[in-house]
Amino acid sequence: MVVHRHKRLRGRAAEVVLAAGVTLAVTATSGCAGSGTSDDRSPAEAASVVRGAADALARTGSARARTAMEMATGGTRVTIRGEGGVDFKRRMGQLLVLLPADVKGEDEHRPITELLVPGALYMKNRGAGVPADKWVRVDTTTLADGNLVTGGATDPLIAAELLRAAQEVTYVGETEVAGTKVRHYRGTTDIGRAAVSASAEMRGALAAAAKGFSKDTVPFDAYLDEEGRLRKVRHRFTYVNNGVIDVSSTTLLYGFGTPVTVVLPASRDIYAGKIAD
């Protein structure tokens, strides 16, 4: 039985998310059940396979990505979706994130372009008083959640790195994700331990998240293909911020090898003014 301990996030993470009309939180939803094929894989073997998922992605190079972040609090449930690509070798990615209308209280909101690089998150069409032609740069090592939820999408690089500390892993069975046969694993991870084991580029953000979440365990469901590549992962986080907030963060990876180009904005295009609350 997994016991969820509620912790209060602090600092810039809450400020950025609330300014975007998104209430922070994280709770993993269990993935869809596998087909239930028998397998005598031991827990130790299963954990080893899952912990190696980030390295398998780095060897692959790049992939297309879809994200979904479902937040539930006080009877209200919203889902934020994103789509883009990730270069796992260069540790860079780009997502187009769409906020649902009720998050902003508006009929529609232009998609937010997010650039993901080690230690930083760049956002365009951020709103909150930021000019439409300007970018906002956020130091993810200062965020209380390490950008696990701040941008409305868990950084796919971070999502994979979290699995380096996988524990209590069980093999659920075989199933399919987007037409590809995969193996479904379920377990928990520890953000603090993941920060220690993470690649150097990802360590700072995870270390910040470990402080914000007080090293709580995070349940996950991971789906790996025959080559050990992560095809889908769901993390569940829970925290307290004016009430209990649950977030299910899902990352879907496909189109492996598709080139991903990330061009960072020039310094003159980065907004240095005040962001509205």
Side-chain angles (χ1 to χ4, degrees), residues 195-213:
V196 174
S197 303
S199 59
E201 297 90 342
M202 301 292 105
R203 203 166 293 154
L206 280 172
K211 295 177 182 178
F213 284 100

Side-chain angles (χ1 to χ4, degrees), residues 26-32 65-70 79-83 95 148-149 152-156 159 177 221 223 230-237 247-253:
V26 184
T27 293
T29 60
S30 54
C32 56
R66 291 195 184 102
T67 64
M69 184 170 287
E70 184 179 86
T79 300
I80 300 172
R81 301 188 183 278
E83 185 168 359
L95 294 174
L148 291 176
V149 296
T154 300
D155 181 340
V177 170
D221 283 81
Y223 302 79
L230 188 64
R231 289 281 181 161
K232 179 180 178 181
V233 61
R234 284 178 177 166
H235 292 101
R236 297 185 298 279
F237 305 82
V247 178
S248 171
S249 178
T250 303
T251 299
L252 177 69
L253 299 173

Side-chain angles (χ1 to χ4, degrees), residues 46-253:
S48 178
V49 169
V50 173
R51 290 170 187 163
D55 290 332
L57 290 175
R59 289 192 297 269
T60 298
S62 59
R64 299 293 298 166
R66 291 195 184 102
T67 64
M69 184 170 287
E70 184 179 86
M71 304 183 183
T73 179
T76 300
R77 187 179 300 271
V78 297
T79 300
I80 300 172
R81 301 188 183 278
E83 185 168 359
V86 184
D87 187 324
F88 291 97
K89 286 186 177 179
R90 298 176 61 208
R91 311 287 183 182
M92 304 177 77
Q94 179 168 318
L95 294 174
L96 196 64
V97 177
L98 182 62
L99 300 178
D102 57 348
V103 170
K104 295 289 293 184
E106 302 172 357
D107 292 335
E108 61 181 39
H109 184 273
R110 295 179 63 185
I112 299 174
T113 300
E114 297 187 358
L115 306 181
L116 311 167
V117 298
L121 166 67
Y122 294 84
M123 294 181 286
K124 192 174 185 180
N125 293 329
R126 169 68 176 73
V130 179
D133 61 341
K134 294 293 184 180
W135 292 82
V136 173
R137 183 187 185 279
V138 179
D139 183 347
T140 55
T141 65
T142 66
L143 295 175
D145 74 318
N147 197 30
L148 291 176
V149 296
T150 289
T154 300
D155 181 340
L157 292 158
I158 295 291
E161 293 285 344
L162 272 173
L163 297 178
R164 291 188 185 276
Q167 55 195 3
E168 302 176 355
V169 181
T170 59
Y171 174 67
V172 179
E174 287 189 354
T175 184
E176 287 191 359
V177 170
T180 299
K181 182 183 293 185
V182 294
R183 293 187 175 93
H184 177 190
Y185 299 89
R186 178 173 293 150
T188 63
T189 188
D190 182 278
I191 301 175
R193 292 178 182 175
V196 174
S197 303
S199 59
E201 297 90 342
M202 301 292 105
R203 203 166 293 154
L206 280 172
K211 295 177 182 178
F213 284 100
S214 300
K215 300 185 180 180
D216 279 351
T217 56
V218 178
F220 69 81
D221 283 81
Y223 302 79
L224 279 64
D225 64 18
E226 296 290 344
E227 298 179 48
R229 300 177 302 192
L230 188 64
R231 289 281 181 161
K232 179 180 178 181
V233 61
R234 284 178 177 166
H235 292 101
R236 297 185 298 279
F237 305 82
T238 299
Y239 79 105
V240 176
N241 185 30
N242 296 323
V244 177
I245 305 174
D246 295 328
V247 178
S248 171
S249 178
T250 303
T251 299
L252 177 69
L253 299 173

